[in-house]
Amino acid sequence: MSYHDHLVDDVLAWWAGNGPDHEHGGVLTCWDNTGTRLVSTDKYTWSQGRWAWLTARVALSAHLRGVDTCWYAEQALRTARFVRDHALLPDRTTAFVTDRTGSDAGPHTSVYADLFAALGFAGVAQLRPGGDWGGYAEVLLLRSAEAISTGRFRSDPYPVPAGHRSFGLPMILVGVGEQVHRATGSTASAAVVREAARQIEEHHLDGDDIAEMPSAMDGLLARHRTPGHVLEATWFLHHARDLLAGSALAEPDRLSRIAVRAVELGWETCAAGCCATSTVTAARPPEPAPRTPTRRSWWTPGTPSCGGRTPKRCTRPRCSRGPARTPARLRVRDVPGRDGAGVDADPHPRRNALGEDRGAPGEGPVPHRPGAAHAGGAGGDTVRQVVAGMPRVRSFPDRAAMGAAAAADVAADLRARLAEQDAVRMIFAAAPSQSDMLDRLVAAAGIDWSRVTAFHMDEYLGLPTDAPARFANWLDRAIFTRLPFADVHRIDPGAEPSDYAKLLAEAPIDLVCLGIGQNGHLAFNDPPVADLDDPEAVKVVELDDTCRQQQVDDGGFPTFDDVPTHAVTLTIPRLLDARRLFCVVPGAAKRHAVDRALHAPVSAADPATALRTHPDVTLYLDAEADPRE
């Protein structure tokens, strides 16, 4: 059987018969691994973008494939329209996922979704020149490239671990940027490709070896290699060679050596060779378009295992990560798939080192629908991602379940960082809202607290040193004296705020555990004094009346007049400088503040809206605090 026959008669034939949503447009990708049961009708934007690109490429090369040009062209157009009309958000990012009709769209959580949408639009722009599709593609590409270059991006479900770079980001910029350039001819898209290739050369390429997650620190992630990723990148780079004059990555011989090195790393003697797509690529060097219309149709962060389903000629289960060339005579790992123009949902997720749900070994985290059951969560956890730019939101039936889940995520993040870093620095909030989480965190196993340095985010002025309501004393009782921290830096109300700021600035802050006040404050940044661009890291503030009354309601003081009028607080920019934020907010009294945090315009009038400007925030709610309950 030839590669051409396998592509046309097996891979494309199966997807043409099972994937298209003829009623609403787009493609249905959430099939089980046998290809017999559609487990979800959710539509992941990255899969829709790849389907639009793939079907456009097939339509453009239909004379070589012996397929119906008009049918594939119509698929590409209908899918691109679905993404444009339902997943493209007003700020020109994309929703990570929608329901089948597109009426319920999740928020923007991933530049990968944006870039695959751009890829789909670019494919349609080449199929139908003269329309707006190239413009849509370029806007998404340039916005994503800027976000990546400034470090202010989210890349769900493949977060970049602290202290590491991700090969997947410049790789996809090369692949998508090249296709946007073919569609538009723009100098800006060509510049994106050149800069991404430069990043690969500078940070990932060592001889003929490409590091997936390089870091200045040695460790498992820094030594990790992903042959399938590298092979895909060589395809992208091969097609972008005319844009890379002077780059080592424009040399065919160099690309071939990189590909051979990847195959050597991925070869599995016990399994009759490495994954089929890698073997095929090594045996058959990349061909210029349009000879290989599926060269971009599979996406495999973290795993070299990727092949297409071939039900007509091979009955063995296969990885369903999308239509890729997989000769039936070669063995593919028996791995359930989930994403791509393949299976998007796996009913049996597991957890990775950072606490995200993952599918079978070697696959990435499960992307969840807003409001869909979170199979890996405790206590009825649901993910409710409401608007563009909002944090990940996890909702639970009660405070105990909320606290347990938050503590589990914080603990998992700590373990992962301590496996890669010498030390971790984190900031805690002092409030009854944090009690359930802190109690469970204290009991968490497997954390070397002797390598963790603790700070806290605010403190009253004017209270006696031994006052129970002082936040340092509250945290001593809750966590500081219960664990063997490397160091605990307590705020001294009598010292200059700049002294504490200097301690914070000695090294990056990894984690912040915080809450949201009834007036929307973060720490003691109440609306009258909050500044989202505050030049200070720590400052003295006057507390507003709502904030002071909350301290009485929380049981910290007997009367309003007993609450201090002033406090020291970390500012909002200082809090948001941390790498990851865990925000725990229980109780009906916080429901309005949570609703504002998720929906109000980002401004100092609602300080918690600033959470939506950070790339890695998780919000934990109980049912009383969840505005959608």
Side-chain angles (χ1 to χ4, degrees):
M1 178 183 65
S2 69
Y3 297 107
H4 175 276
D5 289 346
H6 172 61
L7 171 66
V8 173
D9 298 337
D10 296 332
V11 179
L12 291 179
W14 190 90
W15 281 103
N18 295 277
D21 183 349
H22 298 293
E23 182 177 358
H24 301 290
V27 62
L28 300 171
T29 61
C30 299
W31 292 87
D32 68 5
N33 199 45
T34 67
T36 59
R37 184 171 67 91
L38 187 67
V39 299
S40 172
T41 58
D42 290 340
K43 291 177 178 174
Y44 292 87
T45 298
W46 55 5
S47 295
Q48 304 305 307
R50 282 174 289 192
W51 181 249
W53 182 88
L54 170 67
T55 49
R57 293 300 301 173
V58 173
L60 287 168
S61 62
H63 61 290
L64 299 174
R65 310 295 161 206
V67 297
D68 185 343
T69 301
C70 294
W71 188 91
Y72 280 99
E74 179 63 18
Q75 282 298 307
L77 286 164
R78 293 195 73 209
T79 304
R81 290 177 188 135
F82 182 92
V83 174
R84 179 196 63 190
D85 296 343
H86 302 296
L88 191 62
L89 300 172
D91 65 351
R92 288 301 185 258
T93 60
T94 62
F96 186 66
V97 60
T98 73
D99 66 0
R100 180 174 185 174
T101 66
S103 60
D104 182 9
H108 167 72
T109 61
S110 182
V111 290
Y112 288 126
D114 294 348
L115 287 166
F116 278 120
L119 179 66
F121 291 153
V124 174
Q126 294 175 70
L127 183 67
R128 294 288 187 269
D132 295 330
W133 299 112
Y136 290 133
E138 186 163 42
V139 167
L140 284 169
L141 171 71
L142 298 183
R143 190 188 186 286
S144 298
E146 180 182 9
I148 292 168
S149 69
T150 60
R152 305 297 289 182
F153 66 91
R154 288 178 63 172
S155 56
D156 295 6
Y158 305 107
V160 182
H164 292 264
R165 291 179 174 272
S166 172
F167 176 57
L169 295 171
M171 184 193 82
I172 191 175
L173 286 174
V174 169
V176 174
E178 182 266 335
Q179 282 294 288
V180 173
H181 182 73
R182 303 304 175 207
T184 65
S186 73
T187 57
S189 57
V192 168
V193 174
R194 286 191 290 271
E195 174 58 21
R198 188 191 69 79
Q199 293 286 331
I200 292 172
E201 280 195 74
E202 181 175 343
H203 300 292
H204 300 270
L205 183 64
D206 181 9
D208 297 328
D209 182 48
I210 289 184
E212 180 74 21
M213 291 280 186
S215 172
M217 305 171 291
D218 188 28
L220 182 62
L221 279 177
R223 297 192 298 271
H224 179 58
R225 300 294 184 269
T226 308
H229 236 183
V230 175
L231 293 169
E232 186 178 20
T234 60
W235 291 340
F236 293 171
L237 291 161
H238 174 81
H239 288 279
R241 285 183 300 124
D242 61 310
L243 305 178
L244 302 176
S247 169
L249 295 175
E251 301 170 5
D253 288 346
R254 185 66 179 278
L255 293 178
S256 296
R257 293 198 303 271
I258 292 170
V260 169
R261 166 69 174 165
V263 171
E264 290 172 347
L265 287 175
W267 193 267
E268 296 175 346
T269 303
C270 63
C274 71
C275 66
T277 46
S278 296
T279 304
V280 169
T281 306
R284 294 168 60 88
E287 301 167 344
R291 288 285 299 161
T292 316
T294 55
R295 71 186 188 280
R296 292 167 215 275
S297 61
W298 57 280
W299 173 242
T300 58
T303 174
S305 299
C306 176
R309 267 186 34 83
T310 56
K312 291 178 65 177
R313 285 189 167 86
C314 181
T315 59
R316 289 195 303 273
R318 296 195 178 277
C319 169
S320 300
R321 279 194 175 267
R325 296 179 297 175
T326 311
R329 68 177 183 276
L330 293 177
R331 183 177 184 273
V332 179
R333 290 180 186 169
D334 187 2
V335 176
R338 193 173 45 257
D339 59 61
V343 178
D344 271 315
D346 188 336
H348 305 294
R350 60 185 178 87
R351 295 276 179 174
N352 71 0
L354 288 172
E356 298 98 359
D357 290 326
R358 295 182 76 87
E363 296 193 303
V366 180
H368 290 290
R369 275 284 304 132
H374 187 304
D381 168 18
T382 59
V383 176
R384 300 183 181 279
Q385 297 178 309
V386 185
V387 295
M390 73 172 248
R392 292 179 293 271
V393 180
R394 300 182 63 186
S395 184
F396 302 84
D398 53 49
R399 288 178 65 128
M402 174 204 67
D409 286 355
V410 173
D413 191 283
L414 280 167
R415 294 186 198 102
R417 291 180 195 278
L418 289 169
E420 298 294 328
Q421 303 172 195
D422 292 334
V424 168
R425 288 157 55 90
M426 63 189 302
I427 299 170
F428 292 93
S433 63
Q434 308 299 298
S435 296
D436 295 279
M437 183 271 292
L438 293 177
D439 282 342
R440 297 298 290 265
L441 185 60
V442 167
I447 300 171
D448 184 358
W449 291 102
S450 69
R451 294 160 56 200
V452 179
T453 296
F455 299 83
H456 62 116
M457 61 184 59
D458 43 17
E459 185 57 276
Y460 294 112
L461 295 181
L463 291 181
T465 302
D466 61 352
R470 277 185 62 159
F471 285 158
N473 296 337
W474 190 93
L475 282 166
D476 278 347
R477 298 189 299 271
I479 190 168
F480 286 168
T481 61
R482 299 170 67 185
L483 294 170
F485 285 97
D487 208 345
V488 174
H489 295 296
R490 297 169 179 84
I491 295 174
D492 179 358
E496 291 295 323
S498 59
D499 293 343
Y500 204 69
K502 291 174 183 175
L503 289 172
L504 290 164
E506 287 178 353
I509 299 297
D510 296 291
L511 312 179
V512 174
C513 298
L514 73 164
I516 296 174
Q518 291 179 24
N519 62 0
H521 71 208
L522 301 178
F524 270 148
N525 294 280
D526 296 331
V529 298
D531 183 349
L532 304 194
D533 297 307
D534 206 312
E536 302 297 331
V538 184
K539 66 181 182 181
V540 174
V541 295
E542 182 176 1
L543 306 182
D544 76 4
D545 288 351
T546 302
C547 173
R548 294 177 66 199
Q549 183 59 47
Q550 180 185 328
Q551 312 314 308
V552 178
D553 297 341
D554 284 347
F557 298 89
T559 71
F560 179 86
D561 290 335
D562 291 315
V563 181
T565 59
H566 290 75
V568 179
T569 185
L570 274 62
T571 61
I572 289 174
R574 175 68 267 193
L575 293 170
L576 298 186
D577 274 345
R579 288 164 169 158
R580 189 171 182 185
L581 278 65
F582 299 86
C583 189
V584 179
V585 191
K590 304 288 184 73
R591 181 187 291 242
H592 178 70
V594 171
D595 190 42
R596 297 288 297 174
L598 298 179
H599 296 91
V602 175
S603 75
D606 291 284
T609 59
L611 295 173
R612 305 206 315 260
T613 70
H614 191 282
D616 200 351
V617 181
T618 305
L619 184 59
Y620 301 85
L621 308 174
D622 66 359
E624 292 184 338
D626 191 336
R628 290 186 46 163
E629 289 289 345

